[in-house]
Amino acid sequence: MRRVTGYAAEVTVSNGQRFASLGGVVVRNRRLALLWLRRQALRLANGHGLPLAPEPVRLSVGEDVRPVHFHGAHAPEELRHWATHGPHQDHAIRALEAGFPALFTVLDPAVGLSLTLAGWRGRPADR
């Protein structure tokens, strides 16, 4: 019998018709999944040419996502705000604790691009 354990996190991009994964990770608990998502949100925001924010915690699991070039001015700020604003993080961790996915999507209307950060409970584990 297989049981579900751990958490997964992924960053995806879509143009409304096609979806692509920019990268993902499987970790042992919800806090690590959220930490990975926060780190990726900051990397993507900082990759847009704004000053780099310090990364106080480095994870040894998973790889960083591939960068995205934003054309709209608000997407990097929204990513940065989600990653650093306590109430957003509280909401995400509560969703994961309750067994729901934690989702955050930013839009770049200049090119019709949406970028989604997602975390959820569950990966198959062999018994």
Side-chain angles (χ1 to χ4, degrees):
M1 182 172 170
R2 292 171 64 109
R3 61 187 177 92
V4 175
T5 177
Y7 287 78
E10 184 175 29
V11 178
T12 58
V13 65
S14 171
N15 66 1
Q17 297 177 7
R18 295 175 143 182
F19 291 85
S21 175
L22 297 178
V25 67
V26 175
V27 293
R28 67 180 180 271
N29 63 54
R30 64 185 172 268
R31 293 194 185 282
L32 289 175
L34 186 56
L35 185 62
W36 186 85
L37 287 170
R38 288 177 64 198
R39 181 170 188 271
Q40 301 315 309
L42 289 172
R43 285 189 71 255
L44 289 165
N46 294 341
H48 190 62
L50 298 174
L52 292 177
E55 294 180 12
V57 179
R58 301 281 302 176
L59 288 177
S60 61
V61 293
E63 296 290 324
D64 290 330
V65 298
R66 292 176 293 200
V68 171
H69 178 71
F70 295 105
H71 294 81
H74 297 292
E77 288 87 8
E78 290 177 28
L79 285 167
R80 188 173 286 104
H81 185 69
W82 180 84
T84 60
H85 191 64
H88 289 310
Q89 298 306 302
D90 292 344
H91 176 75
I93 201 75
R94 281 195 306 272
L96 292 172
E97 286 172 345
F100 296 106
L103 301 170
F104 179 70
T105 300
V106 295
L107 303 173
D108 187 350
V111 292
L113 182 78
S114 67
L115 182 121
T116 300
L117 305 166
W120 62 92
R121 181 187 313 180
R123 68 177 164 119
D126 294 321
R127 262 174 44 122

